Amino acid sequence: MGTTAISPSRILKDLDALWLSLGEEQQHEPPVSGAPGASPVLRACAMTLIAVVDTDDVTVGETLAMLVRSHPSRLIVLTVTSGDAPSLQAGVTAQCWMPFGKRQQICCEQISMSASRVSLQEIPPVIRGLIVPDLPVACWLRGRNLIQTPELDGVIGLADKLIVDSGGVADLSAQIGYISTHEAGARRVCDLAWTRLTRWREAIAQLFDDAVGAERARRLERIRIEYQGAHVPMSAYYLAAWLRHSLARSLKVEIVRVGDFERARVCSVHLAEQATDVSITVTTDRDVQLHAGARDAHTVFPRLSEYELLREELSVLGPDSVYESVIAAVPALLAESEAAPS
Amino acid sequence: MTPSSNPFRDATRFERRVRPCALVIFGANGDLTKRKLIPALYRLAYEHRLPPGFAVVGNSRTEMTHEQFRDKMREAVLEFTEETPFEEKIWNDLATGLYYDSGDLKDAGCYTRIKARLQEIEHSRQTGGNILFYLSTQPSHYRAVIHGLGVANLAKPGNGAWRRIVVEKPFGHDLASARELDDAIQRVFNEEQVYRIDHYLGKETVQNILAFRFGNSIFEPLWNRNYISSVQITAAESIGVEGRGAYYQEAGALRDMIQNHLLQIMATVAMEPPAAFEAQTVRDERAKLLRSIRPFTHDEVRLNAVAGQYGPCRVGGQALAGFREESGVNPEAQTDTYAAVTFTVDNWRWAGVPFYIRSGKRMTKRVTDIAIRFHSAPHSPFQTGNHDSASWAGPNLLVLRVQPEEGITLRFLSKLPGSGMKLRPVEMDFKYGSSFGMRSPAAYETLLVDALTGDATLYTRRDMVEASWEAVHPIMEVWQNTKKEFPNYEAGSWGPKASDEMLGRRGHSWRVP
């Protein structure tokens, strides 16, 4: 792959041509029912979504194709290629789908770019010209190797919201530092490791909905979080920080490894007070046992795809005060566990 | 502790969860259950929004086994669910919680059997004693059901459980009967337990009126008599009475549409900003607006209300029957299949602004929208000779489209390209489909979840129902005592000439939606 001069105006011209050709293609199809003169293709856009991916990422296309159905966007997919030679490429396509039961196609535009690391600094001015005016901009750093890549700061700087995934990250201090640094800027940061906890948090909240639960919440004294895997997952600290923040008390926290798993994960949460114990335990892959005093219940945490996690995150483009409080509390928890005798 | 005071609740993230419960549908063999309720429940199940153990107990007079009921409801889902694929597994999960108990609603034994069924379900499906009763029967049965539930002690829960009742419209057929019905309901249920459903309020686009008005800062300063000259609310149907002739003959457009749906829409358009999006505050503001509608004297009715009835016609080579030729309809019927009313509101914000509301059957097309017409510019500098290129095009117009193509359009003037200052109206158009790729939930999905989670914001309250009956009461009185020259509009038209004349008296005209 060689270096080509890519300019926003050239790409925008290509997009115009693309829409024209999509319209012409559809002219040959049977007419759309409904309003006379209705266009057969509906162009949909509610934000700009920049996805930064590794060169060998072959599954991201499927995730994005699903995602634009719930969050129609101008997609800018930036592939960071390996190799030291300068390299820049760009092209346009459309993501189209036919909503169930409808006869009008909905299409979102996708701009695909690739750049080697040394060429990344040339990318922000191009993307700046491609951002849909006056709509939110989200940047999803999908590539695991792309976190802590200073060359990408210019691209991230264009976004209102940065999405990362700390699942599988071992160096939690560095990761939380990275998130906090960006959080301190003007943009919001979210972490899919936090998004995965929504079901856990909902299940915990449900155990405290009634009057008995309310009384129990006031008496809670200890938090024990069990995990499986080679290192403590970020989600364990997120959960602990959230529980402390919710109860507005500095409860004693224990984070304990109880087994192996290919990717570190939380498998159980125990909230204890003197009289009773509240726990949520993943018994198999998805089955969950809820226990609160004399009450036992069973539920299922559906295994969420990356698409489902992103769908949730892109629905929260405004401030997420709970997560912001959690991010602020995690460093103290990390310091506590480092100080604790092993 | 209520869910809202639970320290672990995260309103930004957590979906409203329906807690374990059972739904009892009276009139389970009827059209509403087949066309709306069961498809809405299937859709909620499809989105995993129903709790595990959720159960439905159907009741009607028809003898049926549980299995026959399930088969019938399966057919209903297949036939009436839109925009959602049918998945056997999801249906089977939902169907295992469907039960059926036939019975005469006037027979106390019917409620004893339902009570026993609910106790069995509470044990087997862990519904926690939480029950939503749904009155989907003929309105004439409402009192019997409410009385039966009271006698069987089904309305008052114990042990922290809840009991609620959804009442379908019509809420009475006039002010007096509405009050009698409410009295009967409140002998058994507290007002907080009563959910009077007006499915128009559950429509996404009607809810969006609140978002549009109170989520943006640029519109609300204009939202008053200083900038708005009139408001038109249209709910037109292209179809006729479609086999409901006997029912419709007694109802008519004023009762069937304007008294409830369209006055609720008007209240949503015109109400003051609520302090919070909560049931009490939002409904307080709606009720206040409805109470501010100026009551008509009988003479004023003749100037401000028009009744119409469609006659036979040929449209596109097809012969369409007039209302009086429809099956089950009296050939001398005085029923209004079209009604148009000019309401005014007695408050500082709206004094002098007419709210033109019309609804009719067999009109040109199916459309529901709200058109906010602004005052013309006070002075036009674009005059060439005697021709004012701005004034002919009409003032700014904001149209909130409820159906079929949900969205918002703002009409304003723009310069025609080329030499000279010729102006043309153009539109800024927002379509739901192009900004949100996801489907909008059907009104019944939204409203069922609201009732199951105890959120009454989109339901009407007793005082709102009574205020809207009071607004139309003088019109009903005059119309009942006047022999009308029907039919007075052709099927496929926009209604009777008298309706155009009603607006013409104020220098306005109906827009063509």
Side-chain angles (χ1 to χ4, degrees):
Chain A
M1 191 185 287
T3 299
T4 320
I6 54 175
S7 76
S9 47
R10 173 70 185 272
I11 293 170
L12 291 172
K13 212 176 245 182
D14 289 349
L15 282 175
D16 285 343
L18 175 76
W19 285 108
L20 209 61
S21 69
L22 279 171
E24 280 167 2
E25 270 173 38
Q26 296 295 318
Q27 292 299 326
H28 304 297
E29 301 293 322
V32 177
S33 62
S39 165
V41 179
L42 187 67
R43 180 184 189 169
C45 185
M47 71 173 78
T48 303
L49 175 59
I50 307 164
V52 188
V53 303
D54 281 324
T55 189
D56 54 351
D57 196 332
V58 289
T59 57
V60 70
E62 199 178 320
T63 302
L64 292 172
M66 300 266 286
L67 193 60
V68 289
R69 296 178 185 208
S70 350
H71 296 285
S73 315
R74 175 177 284 177
L75 286 173
I76 300 175
V77 182
L78 171 62
T79 305
V80 181
T81 58
S82 50
D84 296 332
S87 133
L88 284 174
Q89 294 277 319
V92 298
T93 49
Q95 293 276 2
C96 296
W97 69 99
M98 189 78 82
F100 187 84
K102 301 273 182 185
R103 292 188 59 197
Q104 190 178 37
Q105 266 203 333
I106 299 181
C107 293
C108 288
E109 49 208 15
Q110 177 171 332
I111 301 159
S112 303
M113 294 181 193
S114 62
S116 61
R117 281 185 185 247
V118 290
S119 305
L120 277 176
Q121 61 193 2
E122 296 171 39
I123 288 294
V126 179
I127 293 183
R128 192 176 295 122
L130 296 173
I131 285 172
V132 183
D134 308 316
L135 288 175
V137 182
C139 177
W140 174 31
L141 276 195
R142 189 189 199 241
R144 201 163 298 285
N145 303 322
L146 300 173
I147 299 265
Q148 319 268 13
T149 303
E151 295 91 330
L152 280 172
D153 284 354
V155 174
I156 293 167
L158 299 171
D160 305 303
K161 176 159 183 161
L162 171 65
I163 304 170
V164 298
D165 187 356
S166 301
V169 170
D171 187 350
L172 301 186
S173 294
Q175 181 76 358
I176 210 74
Y178 180 79
I179 291 173
S180 301
T181 305
H182 282 287
E183 182 80 23
R187 76 199 49 82
R188 300 181 182 104
V189 185
C190 71
D191 186 345
L192 299 185
W194 169 249
T195 323
R196 285 187 193 93
L197 290 175
T198 301
R199 272 81 198 159
W200 280 89
R201 296 192 302 123
E202 280 185 313
I204 291 170
Q206 279 174 13
L207 293 173
F208 294 91
D209 263 347
D210 57 15
V212 178
E215 193 46 44
R216 190 175 287 144
R218 275 191 281 276
R219 292 198 308 262
L220 287 176
E221 291 171 347
R222 296 183 306 281
I223 302 166
R224 178 184 166 93
I225 295 171
E226 295 175 347
Y227 71 93
Q228 296 163 323
H231 57 83
V232 187
M234 181 68 94
S235 50
Y237 285 100
Y238 279 162
L239 261 181
W242 171 67
L243 288 163
R244 273 189 174 177
H245 161 75
S246 302
L247 292 166
R249 294 207 305 277
S250 196
L251 275 76
K252 186 173 183 305
V253 173
E254 236 187 324
I255 297 177
V256 184
R257 181 171 179 267
V258 293
D260 290 323
F261 201 71
E262 55 187 298
R263 184 169 166 162
R265 64 166 194 176
V266 169
C267 60
S268 182
V269 177
H270 298 264
L271 303 170
E273 38 117 347
Q274 277 186 341
T276 49
D277 186 38
V278 175
S279 69
I280 297 177
T281 309
V282 177
T283 50
T284 63
D285 194 16
R286 298 161 61 202
D287 290 339
V288 179
Q289 203 65 43
L290 302 148
H291 168 80
R295 275 172 55 193
D296 281 304
H298 170 258
T299 188
V300 170
F301 286 170
R303 193 182 302 131
L304 297 179
S305 65
E306 207 167 32
Y307 148 68
E308 286 164 311
L309 297 169
L310 285 162
R311 187 178 61 172
E312 180 179 326
E313 273 313 324
L314 292 179
S315 302
V316 189
L317 288 173
D320 182 349
S321 58
V322 176
Y323 180 60
E324 284 164 18
S325 307
V326 164
I327 282 293
V330 167
L333 273 166
L334 282 167
E336 276 176 40
S337 40
E338 274 164 23
S342 51
Chain B
M1 186 184 288
T2 61
S4 59
S5 61
N6 180 335
F8 299 110
R9 285 275 149 207
D10 180 352
T12 311
R13 299 272 176 169
F14 295 179
E15 281 255 19
R16 275 185 313 159
R17 294 276 165 200
V18 178
R19 296 177 65 73
C21 61
L23 168 67
V24 180
I25 304 175
F26 293 100
N29 198 28
D31 248 19
L32 181 74
T33 307
K34 279 189 293 188
R35 287 173 182 270
K36 300 291 181 190
L37 300 183
I38 292 292
L41 289 174
Y42 170 75
R43 177 67 212 182
L44 292 173
Y46 183 84
E47 291 192 337
H48 305 288
R49 298 194 65 193
L50 294 178
F54 179 74
V56 177
V57 179
N59 164 274
S60 77
R61 287 172 67 98
T62 316
E63 294 281 344
M64 245 189 291
T65 64
H66 300 313
E67 260 331 299
Q68 284 169 327
F69 180 60
R70 287 167 192 156
D71 289 347
K72 206 167 179 161
M73 294 303 110
R74 184 180 189 279
E75 281 168 29
V77 169
L78 284 168
E79 189 175 352
F80 297 114
T81 306
E82 293 173 353
E83 302 176 8
T84 306
F86 182 81
E87 286 195 14
E88 203 70 46
K89 189 183 172 310
I90 288 171
W91 169 252
N92 288 341
D93 281 353
L94 180 64
T96 53
L98 298 190
Y99 303 84
Y100 184 80
D101 282 296
S102 64
D104 182 345
L105 296 172
K106 291 185 180 128
D107 169 20
C110 172
Y111 303 94
T112 315
R113 287 193 297 280
I114 287 174
K115 188 174 185 177
R117 175 76 61 205
L118 287 166
Q119 281 167 346
E120 174 201 318
I121 287 170
E122 183 179 343
H123 181 70
S124 63
R125 297 186 68 84
Q126 307 279 307
T127 53
N130 301 316
I131 303 166
L132 177 67
F133 299 103
Y134 200 113
L135 296 189
S136 176
T137 61
Q138 295 285 338
S140 53
H141 295 312
Y142 286 179
R143 287 179 197 209
V145 178
I146 290 156
H147 178 73
L149 292 173
V151 170
N153 202 22
L154 277 164
K156 304 291 176 211
N159 268 348
W162 52 259
R163 300 286 155 91
R164 300 180 189 126
I165 185 163
V166 176
V167 185
E168 270 286 339
K169 72 156 190 138
F171 312 119
H173 53 86
D174 57 18
L175 180 58
S177 59
R179 283 182 175 149
E180 282 170 24
L181 175 63
D182 280 327
D183 289 344
I185 293 173
Q186 290 184 342
R187 277 194 283 276
V188 178
F189 291 93
N190 299 325
E191 178 63 23
E192 302 78 59
Q193 292 177 281
V194 184
Y195 288 67
R196 296 175 192 80
I197 197 164
D198 185 320
H199 74 270
Y200 264 62
L201 290 181
K203 288 177 185 284
E204 286 281 311
T205 35
V206 174
Q207 293 179 66
N208 193 42
I209 295 170
L210 296 177
F212 181 80
R213 286 190 59 199
F214 306 130
N216 300 294
S217 63
I218 59 169
F219 303 110
E220 202 51 27
L222 311 179
W223 216 259
N224 57 54
R225 65 190 304 273
N226 298 326
Y227 295 91
I228 292 174
S229 73
S230 69
V231 177
Q232 292 188 13
I233 301 175
T234 300
E237 288 178 74
S238 57
I239 56 171
V241 291
E242 306 290 300
R244 292 167 68 230
Y247 159 75
Y248 197 83
Q249 179 171 254
E250 303 305 319
L254 184 70
R255 276 196 180 97
D256 195 46
M257 291 294 293
I258 293 182
Q259 180 273 332
N260 39 68
H261 303 318
L262 301 191
L263 280 179
Q264 291 300 332
I265 289 184
M266 177 180 155
T268 308
V269 169
M271 67 192 240
E272 293 299 313
F277 191 65
E278 287 168 356
Q280 182 76 7
T281 48
V282 172
R283 298 198 299 177
D284 283 349
E285 295 303 339
R286 278 205 182 102
K288 232 162 68 186
L289 189 285
L290 290 167
R291 284 197 297 269
S292 306
I293 294 174
R294 179 185 294 179
F296 293 123
T297 62
H298 284 190
D299 284 344
E300 285 169 338
V301 167
R302 292 184 186 93
L303 291 170
N304 292 295
V306 172
Q309 189 186 87
Y310 62 88
C313 187
R314 287 190 72 78
V315 176
Q318 190 191 359
L320 300 175
F323 178 67
R324 289 173 174 179
E325 287 82 50
E326 301 271 12
S327 143
V329 174
N330 176 351
E332 298 291 316
Q334 285 282 303
T335 311
D336 50 305
T337 63
Y338 173 97
V341 184
T342 305
F343 288 110
T344 51
V345 176
D346 283 339
N347 65 22
W348 275 46
R349 186 190 281 264
W350 295 114
V353 178
F355 284 77
Y356 301 119
I357 298 188
R358 63 177 163 173
S359 176
K361 291 199 173 288
R362 278 263 189 266
M363 296 183 74
T364 311
K365 63 177 177 183
R366 173 179 170 260
V367 62
T368 302
D369 67 17
I370 302 139
I372 317 285
R373 196 182 169 93
F374 292 87
H375 290 303
S376 300
H379 166 69
S380 168
F382 305 112
Q383 288 196 333
T384 42
N386 291 329
H387 178 70
D388 178 356
S389 65
S391 66
W392 70 270
N396 297 122
L397 193 68
L398 179 73
V399 179
L400 310 168
R401 297 190 304 272
V402 177
Q403 60 187 18
E405 199 184 6
E406 301 97 328
I408 297 170
T409 302
L410 178 66
R411 186 181 71 177
F412 59 96
L413 294 183
S414 174
K415 180 185 173 298
L416 192 70
S419 66
M421 206 57 181
K422 293 175 184 160
L423 306 190
R424 290 285 182 277
V426 290
E427 287 184 341
M428 273 200 302
D429 203 4
F430 156 72
K431 289 178 184 162
Y432 257 78
S434 60
S435 286
F436 308 105
M438 63 190 91
R439 72 181 272 288
S440 296
Y444 275 92
E445 289 167 43
T446 305
L447 293 167
L448 273 172
V449 169
D450 284 359
L452 291 168
T453 52
D455 181 354
T457 310
L458 301 177
Y459 284 84
T460 52
R461 214 168 47 188
R462 177 177 181 151
D463 56 344
M464 296 159 73
V465 171
E466 291 182 4
S468 55
W469 275 120
E470 276 168 12
V472 299
H473 184 70
I475 308 172
M476 286 165 46
E477 278 187 334
V478 171
W479 286 3
Q480 269 159 17
N481 297 314
T482 312
K483 183 159 169 36
K484 297 171 283 281
E485 296 297 321
F486 284 163
N488 61 352
Y489 72 97
E490 284 188 351
S493 73
W494 280 111
K497 201 163 160 269
S499 181
D500 299 332
E501 289 164 0
M502 179 178 80
L503 270 69
R505 285 195 283 276
R506 291 176 186 259
H508 292 146
S509 58
W510 287 112
R511 60 180 277 277
V512 177

